[in-house]
Amino acid sequence: MATFCGIIAILMWGLLAVLSVYSADIPPFQLLFVCFAVSCSLVVIKRLVKKEPVLRKPHLTPRQWAVAIGGLFGFHFCYFLALRFAPPIEASLIGYLWPLLLGVAVANAHQRYFAFAGGIFGFIGCGILVTGGEGVNFKSEFVLGYSLALVCAFIWSGYSWFMSSTNSHVEDIGWISGAVAVLALVAHLLLEENHWQFSYQAWVSAIMLGLGPVGGAFYLWDAGLKFGNKALLASSSFATPVISSIALYVFGMSALSAAVGLAIAFILVGALMSNALPALFMRFVVLKRNI
């Protein structure tokens, strides 16, 4: 069940691009504030419905507070800046290194080489999809943006690995979301034009983002990593751009290309290498020892 929660989170992230298009009129940090405010409200509503204490003390140490807030806010902060200082294709491709890093981090000693090899295949699949099967053109003038995208990959993989090994409660994501919402509001007031007159469509999309990809998904991801199959979730995360491409096609925002099928093939091979081959290898070792 926990692994299924993590898979649902990945599916939600696949809808990020569609909802982002509909909410494009809202500045990034202002949108982030709305999303995390909605995310925080999920726990409040749940506790009110169940008649539980709303302000129940979080089960977070100072280190967990720092890593969680730094992970959720730091990732988005660096990602927005990466898109400002580098072309989106190259920045997105570098950012998709995070499933590879997470897969290696959560793998057991005998799984690590398989996780790395499978992660390479998954990353190639992402690269084919993000670039449309064409080459990428890295330029020295965008090195700051590339660096920020790489920082994003390390932040999210590090956050995911750290939270998967803590004893914090999944509901504590609500407290963390509240803190991130405050930081996002401060960033908005300092860096962006402040106004709140947006279309009905933009507001609905922002709320949907908070309920899903940039909010509710974080609760599911936390549950999946804490209690589910971490290796499977890491390798499955490479499917996010595939889901995104299909969602954009379904909503009439883009066309599907042959790159989608090729990307799926690489990602599936990578997932099999990361998850099935280690078990087969260990069976072979045990069988060989018994002969």
Side-chain angles (χ1 to χ4, degrees):
M1 184 62 183
T3 302
F4 179 72
C5 288
I7 296 295
I8 295 299
I10 294 170
L11 291 173
M12 285 183 173
W13 290 330
L15 296 175
L16 178 61
V18 170
L19 293 173
S20 295
V21 170
Y22 287 125
S23 58
D25 292 339
I26 305 178
F29 287 110
Q30 190 173 14
L31 179 61
L32 202 63
F33 162 70
V34 174
C35 291
F36 277 99
V38 171
S39 176
C40 178
S41 70
L42 292 176
V43 170
V44 174
I45 294 172
K46 180 255 182 186
R47 290 178 178 175
L48 287 173
V49 170
K50 289 194 170 184
K51 297 181 180 180
E52 299 173 347
V54 174
L55 299 179
R56 185 189 304 161
K57 185 178 178 181
H59 300 79
L60 293 165
T61 66
R63 184 183 180 190
Q64 290 169 351
W65 272 110
V67 172
I69 294 174
L72 290 179
F73 181 75
F75 170 81
H76 291 92
F77 184 83
C78 291
Y79 182 71
F80 293 151
L81 291 181
L83 294 180
R84 182 177 297 183
F85 293 110
I89 289 179
E90 286 83 353
S92 297
L93 182 58
I94 294 171
Y96 276 120
L97 282 169
W98 77 261
L100 189 157
L101 297 173
L102 177 61
V104 173
V106 301
N108 297 325
H110 69 277
Q111 295 177 321
R112 196 149 291 143
Y113 293 109
F114 293 101
F116 180 77
I120 292 295
F121 270 82
F123 180 69
I124 291 173
C126 285
I128 292 171
L129 191 59
V130 171
T131 63
E134 301 178 0
V136 292
N137 186 19
F138 291 104
K139 297 181 180 179
S140 59
E141 60 193 278
F142 300 125
V143 66
L144 176 58
Y146 301 152
S147 300
L148 288 166
L150 184 61
V151 169
C152 286
F154 276 100
I155 286 177
W156 190 249
S157 58
Y159 162 84
S160 298
W161 170 80
F162 178 82
M163 293 301 288
S164 73
S165 60
T166 67
N167 58 355
S168 62
H169 291 192
V170 173
E171 284 191 6
D172 290 337
I173 296 294
W175 287 96
I176 298 165
S177 295
V180 173
V182 172
L183 291 175
L185 180 60
V186 172
H188 162 65
L189 295 174
L190 293 176
L191 303 174
E192 299 170 338
E193 182 181 351
N194 183 31
H195 68 93
W196 297 87
Q197 291 75 38
F198 300 108
S199 67
Y200 173 79
Q201 176 180 276
W203 276 112
V204 170
S205 298
I207 293 172
M208 290 296 292
L209 280 168
L211 294 173
V214 191
F218 298 134
Y219 294 90
L220 297 173
W221 185 243
D222 195 57
L225 287 178
K226 277 184 167 66
F227 309 112
N229 188 326
K230 300 178 181 64
L232 179 59
L233 290 176
S235 57
S236 299
S237 299
F238 283 114
T240 302
V242 175
I243 300 166
S244 180
S245 296
I246 295 174
L248 288 169
Y249 170 75
V250 170
F251 283 87
M253 297 178 183
S254 69
L256 286 179
S257 66
V260 174
L262 189 57
I264 291 174
F266 270 92
I267 291 168
L268 286 176
V269 170
L272 288 172
M273 292 181 68
S274 299
N275 298 278
L277 285 186
L280 292 174
F281 177 74
M282 290 305 298
R283 288 182 183 179
F284 173 77
V285 171
V286 171
L287 181 62
K288 189 175 180 181
R289 287 176 180 174
N290 293 334
I291 293 176

